[in-house]
Amino acid sequence: MNQKEEVCQHKMLVTRDVLEVIQGKWRIPIIVALTFGNKRFGELQRDIVDISPKMLSQELKVLETNKIIKRKLYDSMPVTVEYSLTPLGLSMKKLLDEILDWGVHFRKEIIGK
Amino acid sequence: MNQKEEVCQHKMLVTRDVLEVIQGKWRIPIIVALTFGNKRFGELQRDIVDISPKMLSQELKVLETNKIIKRKLYDSMPVTVEYSLTPLGLSMKKLLDEILDWGVHFRKEIIGK
């Protein structure tokens, strides 16, 4: 394997890790919603229009396992849970901005608006 | 809906379009491989270690439909097909760099290498 191929393989490996974390229809929208501030479950459900409660709680668990978000329990009646981005989650800001920038460009090219 | 929520909803919409294009395990690796230059089917198969021929041809068709890549036929015996990035595909460079940058950071934080 020559040097160029080695660089290519390394890039593939790193890219695959990122795709594992952000894959699927819901994780990036959840992270985008949390860039607007800490949110409760119900607020996230309202922000992400057609996500089911089951899917939202499943994806929140995966994001927590990957240390992208964290949960804080409030000892109220009933108990309330608030989600927020960890420093690792906040470090995705530039990536999210790039996804948005390219998305605007893509929409202009493909659907002309 | 207040102004902040409207901005959030617009970002969700744009983000979802991008995720449609780059979703799954294979599309970003295919695009990354093509940033190293035009490639034939067999070269892409060799670059993307565990992708099946069926999956590769399926994902190439989707990327072509989304105008991210294009195909060029060479009138050789047998006919050879070469894939390359379109201008829209090339415009993903900054997004790919950001995915890689964040991926390196994520690996350091999570697996310490």
Side-chain angles (χ1 to χ4, degrees):
Chain A
M1 195 186 278
N2 65 40
Q3 213 255 336
K4 200 175 152 190
E5 279 153 7
E6 260 171 50
V7 169
C8 184
Q9 284 310 316
H10 175 68
K11 282 192 171 186
M12 295 288 179
L13 205 68
V14 172
T15 305
R16 205 164 277 186
D17 283 347
V18 177
L19 292 173
E20 282 282 319
V21 175
I22 65 170
Q23 70 168 307
K25 204 174 150 180
W26 308 111
R27 290 183 203 165
I28 290 279
I30 292 170
I31 296 166
V32 168
L34 289 173
T35 59
F36 284 84
N38 301 358
K39 303 241 175 176
R40 293 190 199 147
F41 193 88
E43 290 169 313
L44 285 169
Q45 243 186 313
R46 205 192 53 215
D47 281 345
I48 303 162
V49 171
D50 42 7
I51 192 168
S52 70
K54 188 178 164 224
M55 180 58 84
L56 178 55
S57 76
Q58 178 190 307
E59 296 293 62
L60 286 170
K61 261 190 211 103
V62 170
L63 287 170
E64 206 180 339
T65 311
N66 277 318
K67 300 195 175 97
I68 304 294
I69 67 171
K70 61 180 186 285
R71 281 171 358 131
K72 196 171 174 188
L73 299 178
Y74 288 91
D75 189 10
S76 50
M77 271 303 288
V79 170
T80 36
V81 181
E82 194 179 67
Y83 296 92
S84 59
L85 292 172
T86 60
L88 185 58
L90 288 165
S91 75
M92 292 182 84
K93 180 130 186 9
K94 265 178 82 189
L95 173 54
L96 295 175
D97 289 344
E98 230 13 87
I99 286 175
L100 282 167
D101 283 354
W102 190 75
V104 168
H105 173 68
F106 174 71
R107 281 168 70 97
K108 251 184 225 140
E109 292 287 320
I110 298 292
I111 43 181
K113 64 170 180 165
Chain B
M1 196 185 278
N2 65 40
Q3 212 255 338
K4 199 174 154 190
E5 278 152 7
E6 258 171 53
V7 169
C8 184
Q9 283 311 315
H10 175 69
K11 282 192 171 185
M12 295 287 178
L13 204 68
V14 173
T15 305
R16 204 164 278 184
D17 283 348
V18 177
L19 292 173
E20 281 283 319
V21 175
I22 65 170
Q23 70 169 306
K25 203 173 152 179
W26 307 111
R27 290 184 204 163
I28 290 280
I30 292 170
I31 297 166
V32 167
L34 289 173
T35 59
F36 284 85
N38 301 359
K39 304 239 175 176
R40 292 188 201 147
F41 193 89
E43 290 169 313
L44 285 170
Q45 244 186 312
R46 204 194 55 217
D47 282 345
I48 304 163
V49 170
D50 42 7
I51 192 168
S52 70
K54 189 178 166 226
M55 180 58 85
L56 178 55
S57 78
Q58 178 190 309
E59 297 292 61
L60 286 171
K61 262 191 209 103
V62 170
L63 288 170
E64 207 180 338
T65 310
N66 278 318
K67 299 194 175 98
I68 303 295
I69 67 170
K70 61 181 186 285
R71 281 172 356 132
K72 197 172 175 188
L73 299 179
Y74 288 91
D75 189 10
S76 50
M77 270 303 284
V79 171
T80 36
V81 180
E82 193 179 67
Y83 296 91
S84 59
L85 292 171
T86 60
L88 185 58
L90 288 165
S91 74
M92 293 182 83
K93 180 123 184 19
K94 264 177 83 190
L95 173 55
L96 296 176
D97 290 344
E98 228 16 85
I99 286 175
L100 282 167
D101 282 355
W102 190 75
V104 169
H105 173 67
F106 174 72
R107 282 168 69 97
K108 252 185 225 140
E109 291 288 318
I110 298 293
I111 43 180
K113 62 169 180 166

